[in-house]
Amino acid sequence: MLGEILGGLLGWAPRRWGMPRARLHADGSLTVPGMIHGFASIDSHQGWIGGYLTISDQQVVHTIDRDAKVLRRTIPRAGAAVEIHTAQGAEYVTVRLTMPDGRHFKISFDRIYDQALAQFC
């Protein structure tokens, strides 16, 4: 309740107060919480798997831990076509990666991570 009142007065969305910060790495990659679609997993919900995304110019790595060590799934970005989908007023951005061999992957993360979105522009 207080968060909503302060958020309205200050222009901040209360949900953002609890969002983890993006982690910038020395190699220029960035880790943010997000989801991935395109890999088979018993832990998926309608094909989406939650966790963390480490995004760089060369690849997108999805893991279930922030340190990018557990259950790594890697999508190479070399030659991939990129489509960015953002609905007006939506809280999340969805990026579709189409591989040269025809495979499709989607990643999704909160719009507040503009540095992550910049990795695809």
Side-chain angles (χ1 to χ4, degrees), residues 96-116:
R96 181 178 174 156
L97 300 167
T98 303
M99 302 294 108
D101 63 3
R103 291 178 297 152
H104 301 282
F105 297 97
K106 291 186 272 186
I107 64 168
S108 183
F109 49 88
D110 197 289
R111 290 182 72 135
I112 66 169
Y113 299 115
D114 51 357
Q115 291 174 305

Side-chain angles (χ1 to χ4, degrees), residues 37-117:
H37 189 279
F39 289 99
S41 173
I42 61 170
D43 296 325
S44 69
H45 178 69
Q46 296 179 347
W48 288 95
I49 307 166
Y52 290 89
L53 303 167
T54 300
I55 304 165
S56 71
D57 292 340
Q58 295 83 28
Q59 63 189 3
V60 176
V61 177
H62 174 269
T63 59
I64 60 170
D65 68 319
R66 189 173 173 128
D67 295 323
K69 294 180 180 176
V70 180
L71 294 176
R72 293 174 59 101
R73 296 170 176 94
T74 303
I75 303 171
R77 292 192 50 198
V82 176
E83 296 176 43
I84 299 171
H85 299 277
T86 57
Q88 185 69 17
E91 295 178 0
Y92 293 90
V93 172
T94 301
V95 178
R96 181 178 174 156
L97 300 167
T98 303
M99 302 294 108
D101 63 3
R103 291 178 297 152
H104 301 282
F105 297 97
K106 291 186 272 186
I107 64 168
S108 183
F109 49 88
D110 197 289
R111 290 182 72 135
I112 66 169
Y113 299 115
D114 51 357
Q115 291 174 305
L117 184 57

